[in-house]
Amino acid sequence: MPEQSGKVQTVLGLIEPDQLGRTMTHEHLTMTFECSHVPPAPGDEGLAAAPIEMKHLHWLQQNPYSHHENLLLNQEIEAVKEELLCYRKAGGGSIVENTTTGITRNLPVLRQLAKETGVHIIAGAGYYVDVTHSDETRKMTVEKLTDIIVNEILHGADGTDIRCGVIGEIGTSWPITESEKKVLRATAHAQTQLGCPVIIHPGRNKATPGEAIRILQEAGGDISKTVMSHLDRSIYDPRELLEFAKMGSYLEYDLFGTEVLNYQFNLDVDMLSDSQRVQTLAFLIREGYEDRILIAHDIHTKHRLTKYGGHGFSHILKNIVPKMLSRVCHSAGLWHQA
Ligand SMILES: CCC(=O)NCCS(=O)(=O)O
């Protein structure tokens, strides 16, 4: 990968790493999430079909995946552009846009947003979770999938000349399906050829992160350049978290801003609050993982945009960083006080 070696490949071309600035490593600027629709509870059908209004916001925040229109972030390009301008003002420099095949990646829109806002945008190559795989994808060999991913990075994706700069988010479910295992192996092979970073979306079970890393490892992937996303809703037990951390991937807490009583996709999970996320990061830093931590918001629905009363793309820079700084002297042992 001579041309890209040591550089960052954005949708507008190559930049030097020191041009990145503050970077959210897991966001979506345009996508659809209908694949994850959760039927509303009996009696809530009216709310689920109603336009988004202030009086329904609390319901929407607690039931974001039951409102069909909320899943269409691709309808909000103008609002996202405004948000990116605010993100820049707040000190943001770059965004890794994790939308892969299956959830409506739109590279021309990403290029337009990068041009109009000055935010560096790095697009993701590869495939989301099994339910979004087409019949054609399912039939592909690992070699064919590898070629497609490599091509998305070297030459451009979705029939454009716009090149992706990372592989991911690569989707896995639980249990990891055969089609997802093929994509994981193809991801590892493509990474071996290119040397680029990989980002994994784990299925909603604490066993998935480790299993996905093992599959990548066996296929020759570079785990030191691999990001495990969504740890906020995946591994809670401190010992289990440290066991996973030892495997060597980046540890990503990317649901900052999401504070819900019930996590709709897995009611057994008590979703961390932002304060608990900060405490968990303090714990990981104390255990020696400071250089392996990444954070982001993973905005993927409308209700998290400021236009709809959400926290927006600047929440970490405006609210979480000051909170972290206020806790910096007290970080040791916070996990156990929680
Ligand atoms: C496409 C966005 C995405 O997959 N986000 C993760 C949501 S969750 O699985 O953590 O609820």
Side-chain angles (χ1 to χ4, degrees):
M1 199 176 177
E3 189 196 353
Q4 285 92 346
S5 189
K7 312 254 193 239
V8 177
Q9 184 155 274
T10 78
V11 291
L12 292 178
L14 296 175
I15 61 170
E16 297 295 331
D18 64 9
Q19 290 178 267
L20 277 171
R22 295 190 175 114
T23 303
M24 297 297 135
T25 51
H26 197 123
E27 303 294 348
H28 301 269
L29 302 176
T30 175
M31 63 166 277
T32 58
F33 208 34
E34 290 151 302
C35 62
S36 296
H37 180 258
V38 175
D44 282 356
E45 295 83 357
L47 284 167
I52 301 176
E53 278 187 82
M54 188 68 112
K55 64 182 177 184
H56 301 146
L57 265 193
H58 184 258
W59 179 86
L60 185 65
Q61 285 158 358
Q62 299 298 317
N63 299 275
Y65 304 113
S66 297
H67 191 283
H68 180 257
E69 208 193 302
N70 190 40
L71 307 179
L72 303 177
L73 186 63
N74 61 340
Q75 295 176 338
E76 298 295 342
I77 294 161
E78 212 35 52
V80 167
K81 178 182 150 186
E82 292 306 311
E83 292 247 0
L84 289 181
L85 292 169
C86 293
Y87 176 69
R88 268 201 80 190
K89 265 200 193 143
S94 303
I95 281 186
V96 184
E97 216 283 0
N98 278 248
T99 306
T100 42
T101 300
I103 46 176
T104 322
R105 179 174 54 196
N106 190 333
L107 292 163
V109 165
L110 297 189
R111 183 155 62 179
Q112 174 198 333
L113 286 169
K115 275 187 187 157
E116 290 176 356
T117 66
V119 174
H120 299 300
I121 299 174
I122 297 105
Y127 297 84
Y128 193 57
V129 299
D130 185 292
V131 288
T132 69
H133 293 184
S134 65
D135 288 345
E136 195 191 354
T137 301
R138 282 175 211 288
K139 285 187 200 133
M140 285 180 195
T141 60
V142 173
E143 291 71 24
K144 176 70 186 164
L145 290 163
T146 307
D147 285 349
I148 291 174
I149 294 172
V150 168
N151 196 58
E152 288 182 347
I153 294 212
L154 289 186
H155 304 293
D158 305 333
T160 74
D161 62 355
I162 305 170
R163 299 169 185 185
C164 300
V166 297
I167 305 175
E169 62 185 297
I170 297 299
T172 63
S173 312
W174 184 255
I176 302 177
T177 70
E178 284 311 310
S179 192
E180 289 168 346
K181 286 179 185 171
K182 274 196 299 177
V183 172
L184 283 172
R185 291 182 188 118
T187 294
H189 295 175
Q191 188 190 37
T192 303
Q193 285 184 43
L194 301 169
C196 65
V198 161
I199 304 170
I200 302 297
H201 162 106
R204 298 173 185 117
N205 177 293
K206 65 181 182 179
T208 333
E211 183 63 13
I213 293 293
R214 270 186 287 279
I215 293 169
L216 289 171
Q217 236 161 8
E218 281 168 20
D222 181 350
I223 304 310
S224 73
K225 284 191 185 171
T226 297
V227 179
M228 185 52 64
S229 309
H230 314 326
L231 284 174
D232 332 35
R233 52 85 167 147
S234 303
I235 304 179
Y236 290 96
D237 180 85
R239 265 168 307 184
E240 289 173 357
L241 182 58
L242 291 182
E243 275 308 300
F244 177 73
K246 275 192 221 152
M247 296 183 89
S249 74
Y250 283 98
L251 309 167
E252 191 172 77
Y253 285 77
D254 50 31
L255 294 167
F256 270 98
T258 298
E259 297 202 327
V260 287
L261 182 60
N262 294 311
Y263 174 54
Q264 278 193 287
F265 294 134
N266 182 350
L267 296 180
D268 292 334
V269 162
D270 287 328
M271 175 67 81
L272 296 186
S273 67
D274 280 352
S275 293
Q276 289 169 317
R277 289 185 179 98
V278 171
Q279 290 163 8
T280 306
L281 298 185
F283 167 75
L284 285 169
I285 290 168
R286 189 169 132 79
E287 294 292 330
Y289 289 99
E290 182 167 0
D291 291 341
R292 304 305 293 168
I293 295 171
L294 299 172
I295 59 173
H297 312 91
D298 186 21
I299 289 182
H300 52 275
T301 48
K302 290 183 185 184
H303 80 289
R304 294 176 66 202
L305 299 175
T306 52
K307 173 179 171 183
Y308 293 103
H311 53 78
F313 291 96
S314 305
H315 175 56
I316 286 178
L317 294 177
K318 285 188 167 166
N319 305 315
I320 301 299
V321 170
K323 168 91 179 178
M324 286 175 171
L325 292 173
S326 84
R327 289 291 184 269
V328 107
C329 303
H330 309 280
S331 62
L334 271 178
W335 175 286
H336 300 288
Q337 290 168 24

